[in-house]
Coordinates of all heavy atoms in Angstrom, one line a residue:
M285 N 64.4 115.6 106.1 CA 65.2 116.6 106.7 C 64.4 117.4 107.7 O 63.2 117.4 107.6 CB 65.8 117.6 105.6 CG 66.9 117.0 104.8 SD 68.3 116.4 105.8 CE 69.2 115.4 104.6
G286 N 65.1 117.9 108.7 CA 64.4 118.6 109.7 C 63.8 117.8 110.9 O 63.3 118.3 111.9
Q287 N 63.9 116.5 110.7 CA 63.5 115.6 111.8 C 64.6 115.3 112.7 O 65.8 115.3 112.3 CB 63.0 114.2 111.1 CG 61.8 114.4 110.2 CD 61.5 113.1 109.6 OE1 62.4 112.2 109.4 NE2 60.2 112.9 109.2
P288 N 64.3 115.1 114.0 CA 65.3 114.7 115.0 C 66.0 113.4 114.6 O 65.4 112.5 114.1 CB 64.6 114.6 116.3 CG 63.2 114.4 116.0 CD 63.0 115.1 114.6
A289 N 67.3 113.3 114.8 CA 68.0 112.1 114.4 C 67.6 111.0 115.3 O 67.4 111.1 116.5 CB 69.5 112.4 114.6
L290 N 67.4 109.8 114.6 CA 67.0 108.6 115.4 C 68.2 108.0 116.0 O 69.4 108.3 115.6 CB 66.4 107.6 114.4 CG 65.1 108.1 113.8 CD1 64.7 107.1 112.6 CD2 64.0 108.0 114.8
P291 N 68.0 107.2 117.0 CA 69.2 106.5 117.7 C 69.9 105.7 116.7 O 69.3 105.1 115.8 CB 68.5 105.7 118.8 CG 67.2 106.2 119.0 CD 66.8 106.8 117.7
R292 N 71.2 105.6 116.8 CA 72.0 104.8 115.9 C 72.0 103.3 116.3 O 72.0 103.0 117.5 CB 73.5 105.3 115.9 CG 73.6 106.6 115.2 CD 75.0 107.1 115.4 NE 76.0 106.1 114.9 CZ 77.3 106.4 114.7 NH1 77.8 107.6 115.1 NH2 78.1 105.5 114.3
C293 N 72.0 102.5 115.3 CA 72.1 101.0 115.6 C 73.5 100.8 116.2 O 74.5 101.3 115.7 CB 71.9 100.3 114.3 SG 72.3 98.5 114.5
A294 N 73.6 100.0 117.2 CA 74.9 99.7 117.9 C 75.8 98.8 117.0 O 77.0 98.8 117.2 CB 74.6 98.9 119.2
C295 N 75.2 98.2 116.0 CA 76.0 97.3 115.2 C 76.5 98.0 113.9 O 77.6 98.2 113.7 CB 75.2 96.1 114.8 SG 76.0 95.0 113.6
C296 N 75.5 98.5 113.1 CA 75.9 99.0 111.8 C 76.1 100.6 111.8 O 76.7 101.1 111.0 CB 74.9 98.6 110.7 SG 73.3 99.4 110.9
G297 N 75.5 101.2 112.8 CA 75.7 102.7 113.0 C 74.7 103.5 112.3 O 74.6 104.7 112.4
Y298 N 73.8 102.9 111.5 CA 72.8 103.7 110.8 C 71.6 104.0 111.7 O 71.3 103.3 112.7 CB 72.2 102.9 109.6 CG 73.2 102.8 108.4 CD1 73.9 101.6 108.2 CD2 73.5 103.9 107.6 CE1 74.8 101.5 107.2 CE2 74.4 103.8 106.6 CZ 75.1 102.6 106.4 OH 76.0 102.5 105.4
R299 N 71.0 105.1 111.4 CA 70.0 105.7 112.3 C 68.6 105.2 111.9 O 67.8 105.9 111.3 CB 70.0 107.2 112.3 CG 71.3 107.8 112.8 CD 71.2 109.3 112.8 NE 72.5 109.9 113.2 CZ 72.9 110.0 114.5 NH1 72.1 109.6 115.4 NH2 74.0 110.6 114.8
T300 N 68.3 103.9 112.3 CA 67.0 103.3 111.9 C 66.0 103.6 113.0 O 64.8 103.6 112.8 CB 67.2 101.8 111.7 OG1 67.7 101.2 112.9 CG2 68.1 101.6 110.5
G301 N 66.4 103.6 114.3 CA 65.5 103.8 115.4 C 64.6 102.6 115.7 O 63.7 102.7 116.4
C302 N 65.0 101.5 115.1 CA 64.2 100.2 115.2 C 64.8 99.3 116.3 O 66.0 99.3 116.5 CB 64.1 99.5 113.9 SG 63.4 100.4 112.6
T303 N 63.9 98.6 116.9 CA 64.4 97.6 117.9 C 65.2 96.5 117.2 O 66.3 96.2 117.6 CB 63.2 96.9 118.6 OG1 62.4 97.9 119.3 CG2 63.7 95.9 119.7
T304 N 64.7 96.0 116.1 CA 65.5 95.1 115.3 C 65.9 95.9 114.0 O 65.0 96.3 113.3 CB 64.8 93.8 114.9 OG1 64.5 93.1 116.1 CG2 65.6 93.0 114.0
C305 N 67.1 96.1 113.8 CA 67.6 97.0 112.7 C 67.3 96.3 111.4 O 67.7 95.2 111.1 CB 69.1 97.2 112.9 SG 69.8 98.1 111.6
P306 N 66.6 97.0 110.4 CA 66.3 96.5 109.1 C 67.5 96.4 108.2 O 67.5 95.8 107.2 CB 65.2 97.4 108.6 CG 65.5 98.7 109.2 CD 66.0 98.4 110.6
I307 N 68.6 97.0 108.6 CA 69.8 97.1 107.7 C 70.8 96.0 108.0 O 71.4 95.4 107.2 CB 70.4 98.5 107.8 CG1 69.5 99.5 107.3 CG2 71.8 98.5 107.1 CD1 69.8 100.9 107.7
C308 N 70.9 95.7 109.3 CA 71.8 94.6 109.7 C 71.2 93.5 110.5 O 71.8 92.4 110.7 CB 73.0 95.2 110.5 SG 72.5 95.7 112.1
F309 N 69.9 93.7 110.9 CA 69.1 92.7 111.7 C 69.7 92.5 113.1 O 69.4 91.5 113.7 CB 69.0 91.4 110.9 CG 67.5 91.0 110.8 CD1 66.7 91.6 110.0 CD2 67.1 89.9 111.6 CE1 65.3 91.3 110.0 CE2 65.7 89.6 111.6 CZ 64.9 90.2 110.7
W310 N 70.5 93.4 113.6 CA 70.8 93.4 115.0 C 69.6 93.8 115.8 O 68.9 94.8 115.4 CB 72.0 94.4 115.2 CG 72.4 94.5 116.7 CD1 72.1 95.6 117.5 CD2 73.2 93.7 117.5 NE1 72.6 95.4 118.7 CE2 73.3 94.2 118.7 CE3 73.8 92.4 117.2 CZ2 74.0 93.6 119.8 CZ3 74.5 91.8 118.2 CH2 74.6 92.4 119.5
T311 N 69.4 93.2 116.9 CA 68.3 93.6 117.8 C 68.9 94.3 119.0 O 69.8 93.8 119.7 CB 67.5 92.3 118.3 OG1 66.9 91.7 117.2 CG2 66.4 92.8 119.3
D312 N 68.4 95.5 119.2 CA 68.9 96.4 120.2 C 68.6 95.8 121.6 O 67.5 95.6 122.0 CB 68.3 97.8 120.2 CG 68.7 98.7 121.3 OD1 69.7 98.4 121.9 OD2 68.0 99.7 121.6
D313 N 69.7 95.4 122.3 CA 69.5 94.8 123.6 C 70.2 95.6 124.7 O 70.5 95.1 125.8 CB 69.9 93.4 123.7 CG 71.4 93.2 123.2 OD1 72.1 94.2 123.1 OD2 71.8 92.1 123.1
G314 N 70.5 96.9 124.4 CA 71.2 97.8 125.3 C 72.7 97.7 125.3 O 73.3 98.5 126.0
R315 N 73.2 96.8 124.6 CA 74.7 96.7 124.5 C 75.3 97.9 123.7 O 74.8 98.2 122.6 CB 75.1 95.4 123.9 CG 75.2 94.3 125.0 CD 75.7 93.0 124.4 NE 74.7 92.3 123.7 CZ 74.9 91.2 123.0 NH1 76.2 90.7 122.9 NH2 74.0 90.5 122.4
T316 N 76.3 98.4 124.2 CA 77.0 99.4 123.4 C 78.5 99.2 123.6 O 78.9 98.1 124.0 CB 76.7 100.9 123.9 OG1 76.9 100.9 125.3 CG2 75.3 101.2 123.6
D317 N 79.3 100.1 123.3 CA 80.8 99.9 123.2 C 81.4 99.2 124.4 O 82.2 98.3 124.3 CB 81.5 101.2 122.9 CG 81.2 101.6 121.4 OD1 81.2 100.7 120.6 OD2 81.0 102.8 121.2
P318 N 81.1 99.6 125.6 CA 81.8 99.1 126.8 C 81.7 97.5 126.9 O 82.5 96.9 127.5 CB 81.2 99.8 128.0 CG 80.7 101.0 127.4 CD 80.2 100.7 126.1
S319 N 80.6 97.0 126.4 CA 80.4 95.6 126.5 C 80.4 94.9 125.1 O 79.7 94.0 124.8 CB 79.0 95.3 127.1 OG 78.0 96.0 126.4
V320 N 81.3 95.5 124.3 CA 81.2 95.1 122.8 C 81.5 93.6 122.7 O 81.0 93.0 121.7 CB 82.2 96.0 122.0 CG1 83.7 95.6 122.4 CG2 82.0 95.8 120.6
S321 N 82.3 93.0 123.5 CA 82.6 91.6 123.3 C 81.9 90.7 124.2 O 82.0 89.5 124.2 CB 84.1 91.3 123.5 OG 84.5 91.7 124.8
A322 N 81.0 91.3 125.1 CA 80.3 90.5 126.0 C 79.1 89.7 125.3 O 78.5 90.2 124.4 CB 79.7 91.3 127.1
V323 N 78.8 88.5 125.8 CA 77.7 87.8 125.3 C 76.8 87.5 126.4 O 77.1 86.9 127.4 CB 78.2 86.4 124.7 CG1 77.0 85.6 124.2 CG2 79.1 86.7 123.5
H324 N 75.5 87.9 126.3 CA 74.6 87.8 127.4 C 73.5 86.7 127.1 O 72.7 86.5 127.9 CB 73.9 89.1 127.6 CG 74.8 90.2 128.0 ND1 75.4 90.2 129.3 CD2 75.2 91.3 127.4 CE1 76.1 91.3 129.4 NE2 76.1 92.0 128.3
G325 N 73.6 86.1 125.9 CA 72.6 85.1 125.6 C 71.2 85.8 125.5 O 70.2 85.1 125.9
S326 N 71.1 87.0 125.1 CA 69.8 87.7 125.1 C 69.2 87.6 123.7 O 69.3 86.6 123.0 CB 70.1 89.1 125.5 OG 70.9 89.8 124.6
R327 N 68.6 88.7 123.3 CA 67.9 88.7 122.0 C 68.7 88.3 120.8 O 68.1 87.9 119.8 CB 67.2 90.0 121.8 CG 65.9 90.2 122.7 CD 65.2 91.5 122.4 NE 65.7 92.5 123.4 CZ 65.2 93.7 123.4 NH1 64.3 94.1 122.5 NH2 65.6 94.6 124.2
N328 N 70.0 88.6 120.9 CA 70.8 88.2 119.8 C 71.5 86.9 119.9 O 72.5 86.5 119.3 CB 71.9 89.3 119.6 CG 71.2 90.6 119.1 OD1 70.8 90.7 118.0 ND2 71.1 91.6 120.0
G329 N 71.0 86.1 120.8 CA 71.5 84.7 121.0 C 73.0 84.8 121.5 O 73.3 85.5 122.4
D330 N 73.8 84.0 120.9 CA 75.2 83.9 121.3 C 76.1 84.9 120.5 O 77.3 84.8 120.5 CB 75.7 82.5 121.2 CG 75.6 82.0 119.7 OD1 75.1 82.8 118.9 OD2 76.0 80.9 119.4
L331 N 75.4 85.8 119.8 CA 76.2 86.8 119.0 C 76.6 88.0 119.8 O 75.8 88.7 120.5 CB 75.2 87.3 117.9 CG 75.8 88.0 116.7 CD1 76.8 87.0 115.9 CD2 74.7 88.5 115.8
S332 N 77.9 88.2 119.9 CA 78.4 89.4 120.6 C 78.3 90.6 119.6 O 78.3 90.4 118.4 CB 79.8 89.2 121.1 OG 80.7 89.3 120.0
L333 N 78.3 91.8 120.2 CA 78.3 93.0 119.3 C 79.5 93.1 118.4 O 79.5 93.5 117.3 CB 78.1 94.2 120.2 CG 78.0 95.6 119.5 CD1 76.9 95.5 118.4 CD2 77.7 96.7 120.5
A334 N 80.7 92.7 119.0 CA 81.9 92.7 118.2 C 81.8 91.7 117.0 O 82.1 92.1 115.8 CB 83.1 92.3 119.0
D335 N 81.2 90.5 117.2 CA 81.0 89.6 116.1 C 80.0 90.1 115.1 O 80.1 90.0 113.9 CB 80.5 88.3 116.7 CG 81.6 87.5 117.4 OD1 82.8 87.8 117.2 OD2 81.3 86.6 118.1
A336 N 78.9 90.8 115.6 CA 77.9 91.3 114.8 C 78.5 92.4 113.8 O 78.2 92.4 112.6 CB 76.8 91.9 115.6
R337 N 79.3 93.2 114.4 CA 79.9 94.3 113.6 C 80.9 93.7 112.5 O 80.9 94.1 111.4 CB 80.7 95.2 114.5 CG 79.8 96.1 115.3 CD 80.6 97.0 116.2 NE 79.8 98.0 116.9 CZ 80.3 98.7 117.9 NH1 81.5 98.7 118.2 NH2 79.4 99.6 118.5
L338 N 81.6 92.6 112.9 CA 82.5 92.0 112.0 C 81.6 91.3 110.8 O 82.0 91.4 109.7 CB 83.3 90.9 112.7 CG 84.4 90.2 111.8 CD1 85.4 91.2 111.3 CD2 85.0 89.1 112.6
N339 N 80.6 90.6 111.2 CA 79.7 90.0 110.2 C 79.1 91.1 109.3 O 79.0 90.8 108.1 CB 78.6 89.3 110.9 CG 79.0 88.0 111.6 OD1 80.0 87.4 111.1 ND2 78.3 87.5 112.6
F340 N 78.7 92.2 109.9 CA 78.1 93.2 109.0 C 79.1 93.7 108.0 O 78.8 94.0 106.8 CB 77.7 94.4 109.9 CG 77.0 95.5 109.1 CD1 75.8 95.3 108.4 CD2 77.6 96.7 108.9 CE1 75.2 96.3 107.7 CE2 77.0 97.7 108.1 CZ 75.8 97.5 107.5
S341 N 80.4 93.8 108.4 CA 81.4 94.3 107.4 C 81.7 93.2 106.3 O 82.1 93.6 105.2 CB 82.7 94.6 108.2 OG 83.4 93.4 108.6
I342 N 81.4 92.0 106.6 CA 81.7 90.9 105.7 C 80.4 90.6 104.9 O 80.4 90.6 103.6 CB 82.1 89.6 106.4 CG1 83.5 89.9 107.1 CG2 82.3 88.5 105.4 CD1 83.9 88.7 108.1
Y343 N 79.3 90.4 105.6 CA 78.1 89.9 104.9 C 77.0 91.0 104.7 O 76.1 90.7 104.0 CB 77.4 88.8 105.8 CG 78.4 87.7 106.1 CD1 78.8 87.5 107.4 CD2 78.7 86.8 105.2 CE1 79.7 86.4 107.7 CE2 79.6 85.7 105.4 CZ 80.1 85.5 106.7 OH 80.9 84.5 107.0
G344 N 77.2 92.2 105.3 CA 76.2 93.2 105.2 C 75.0 92.9 106.1 O 73.9 93.4 105.9
A345 N 75.2 92.0 107.1 CA 74.2 91.7 108.1 C 74.9 91.2 109.4 O 76.0 90.8 109.3 CB 73.2 90.5 107.6
S346 N 74.2 91.3 110.5 CA 74.8 91.0 111.8 C 75.1 89.5 111.9 O 75.9 89.1 112.8 CB 74.0 91.5 112.9 OG 72.7 90.9 112.9
A347 N 74.5 88.7 111.1 CA 74.9 87.3 111.1 C 74.6 86.8 109.7 O 73.7 87.3 109.0 CB 74.1 86.5 112.1
P348 N 75.4 85.8 109.2 CA 75.2 85.3 107.8 C 73.7 84.9 107.5 O 73.2 85.1 106.4 CB 76.1 84.1 107.7 CG 77.2 84.4 108.7 CD 76.5 85.1 109.8
R349 N 73.1 84.3 108.5 CA 71.7 83.8 108.3 C 70.7 84.9 108.1 O 69.6 84.7 107.7 CB 71.2 83.0 109.5 CG 71.2 83.7 110.8 CD 70.8 82.7 111.9 NE 70.7 83.3 113.2 CZ 71.7 83.5 114.1 NH1 72.9 83.2 113.7 NH2 71.6 84.1 115.2
Y350 N 71.1 86.2 108.3 CA 70.2 87.3 108.2 C 70.4 88.0 106.8 O 69.7 89.0 106.5 CB 70.4 88.3 109.3 CG 70.1 87.8 110.7 CD1 70.8 88.3 111.8 CD2 69.1 86.9 110.9 CE1 70.5 87.8 113.0 CE2 68.8 86.5 112.1 CZ 69.5 86.9 113.2 OH 69.2 86.5 114.5
R351 N 71.3 87.5 106.0 CA 71.6 88.2 104.7 C 70.3 88.4 103.8 O 70.2 89.4 103.1 CB 72.6 87.4 103.9 CG 74.0 87.7 104.4 CD 75.0 87.0 103.6 NE 75.0 85.6 103.8 CZ 75.8 84.7 103.3 NH1 76.7 85.0 102.4 NH2 75.6 83.4 103.6
E352 N 69.4 87.4 103.9 CA 68.2 87.5 103.1 C 67.2 88.5 103.6 O 66.2 88.8 103.0 CB 67.6 86.2 102.9 CG 68.5 85.1 102.3 CD 69.0 85.5 100.9 OE1 68.2 86.0 100.1 OE2 70.2 85.4 100.6
L353 N 67.4 88.9 104.9 CA 66.3 89.7 105.6 C 66.6 91.2 105.6 O 65.7 92.0 105.9 CB 66.2 89.2 107.0 CG 65.8 87.7 107.1 CD1 65.9 87.2 108.6 CD2 64.4 87.4 106.6
V354 N 67.8 91.6 105.3 CA 68.2 93.0 105.5 C 68.0 93.8 104.2 O 67.7 93.2 103.1 CB 69.7 93.1 105.9 CG1 69.9 92.5 107.3 CG2 70.6 92.5 104.9
R355 N 68.0 95.1 104.3 CA 67.8 95.9 103.1 C 68.9 97.0 103.2 O 69.5 97.3 104.2 CB 66.4 96.6 103.2 CG 66.2 97.5 104.4 CD 65.0 98.4 104.1 NE 64.7 99.2 105.3 CZ 65.4 100.3 105.7 NH1 66.4 100.7 105.0 NH2 65.0 101.0 106.7
P356 N 69.2 97.6 102.0 CA 70.2 98.7 102.0 C 69.7 99.9 102.8 O 68.5 100.1 102.9 CB 70.3 99.0 100.5 CG 69.7 97.9 99.8 CD 68.6 97.3 100.7
P357 N 70.7 100.6 103.4 CA 70.3 101.8 104.1 C 69.8 102.9 103.2 O 70.3 103.0 102.0 CB 71.6 102.2 104.8 CG 72.7 101.6 104.0 CD 72.1 100.4 103.4
R358 N 68.9 103.8 103.7 CA 68.5 105.0 103.0 C 69.5 106.1 103.3 O 70.1 106.1 104.4 CB 67.1 105.4 103.3 CG 66.0 104.3 103.0 CD 64.6 104.9 103.1 NE 64.4 105.5 104.4 CZ 63.7 105.0 105.4 NH1 63.1 103.8 105.2 NH2 63.5 105.6 106.6
D359 N 69.5 107.1 102.4 CA 70.4 108.2 102.7 C 70.2 108.9 104.0 O 71.1 109.4 104.7 CB 70.3 109.2 101.5 CG 71.0 108.8 100.3 OD1 71.8 107.8 100.4 OD2 70.8 109.3 99.2
D360 N 68.9 109.0 104.4 CA 68.5 109.7 105.6 C 68.8 108.9 106.9 O 68.6 109.4 108.0 CB 67.1 110.2 105.6 CG 66.1 109.1 105.6 OD1 66.5 107.9 105.4 OD2 64.9 109.3 105.7
E361 N 69.3 107.7 106.7 CA 69.7 106.9 107.9 C 71.1 106.8 108.1 O 71.6 106.2 109.1 CB 69.1 105.4 107.6 CG 67.6 105.3 107.6 CD 67.1 104.0 107.1 OE1 67.9 103.3 106.4 OE2 66.0 103.6 107.5
R362 N 71.9 107.5 107.3 CA 73.4 107.4 107.4 C 73.7 108.2 108.7 O 73.1 109.2 109.1 CB 74.1 108.1 106.2 CG 73.8 107.2 105.0 CD 74.6 107.7 103.8 NE 74.1 106.9 102.6 CZ 74.5 105.7 102.3 NH1 75.4 105.1 103.1 NH2 74.0 105.1 101.2
P363 N 74.8 107.7 109.4 CA 75.2 108.3 110.7 C 75.6 109.7 110.5 O 76.2 110.1 109.5 CB 76.3 107.4 111.2 CG 76.4 106.3 110.2 CD 75.6 106.5 109.1
Ligands
ZN34 ZN1 72.0 97.9 112.3

């Protein structure tokens, strides 16, 4: 508490402040809501932000292959 809020992950919304989110394994590539369905073939491969959010709601990770790599969010990371 008392710390400035970290940037929110574009995919899961938790405030991890990491380039690659440890909670959903989305890699921040600058995409936000206006380009939610765009695919740039960047750090997240062919995964769109819309797909990543859908995957997170189903699998708890931005892609099924990341399920073993993610961890539960901490209380201080909640949006
Ligand atoms: Zn995330």
Side-chain angles (χ1 to χ4, degrees):
M285 287 302 166
Q287 296 175 333
L290 293 167
R292 287 174 57 171
C293 172
C295 174
C296 68
Y298 289 104
R299 297 184 183 278
T300 59
C302 298
T303 302
T304 298
C305 177
I307 295 164
C308 69
F309 232 72
W310 174 257
T311 298
D312 177 20
D313 58 7
R315 275 186 276 176
T316 52
D317 289 319
S319 56
V320 68
S321 61
V323 175
H324 297 292
S326 60
R327 281 183 267 180
N328 292 287
D330 58 358
L331 195 63
S332 76
L333 184 51
D335 286 342
R337 287 176 176 173
L338 184 63
N339 285 335
F340 182 68
S341 71
I342 297 169
Y343 303 111
S346 58
R349 63 183 179 276
Y350 295 147
R351 276 182 292 183
E352 303 299 317
L353 301 171
V354 296
R355 63 165 173 78
R358 299 191 306 254
D359 282 346
D360 63 353
E361 293 169 335
R362 296 187 187 280

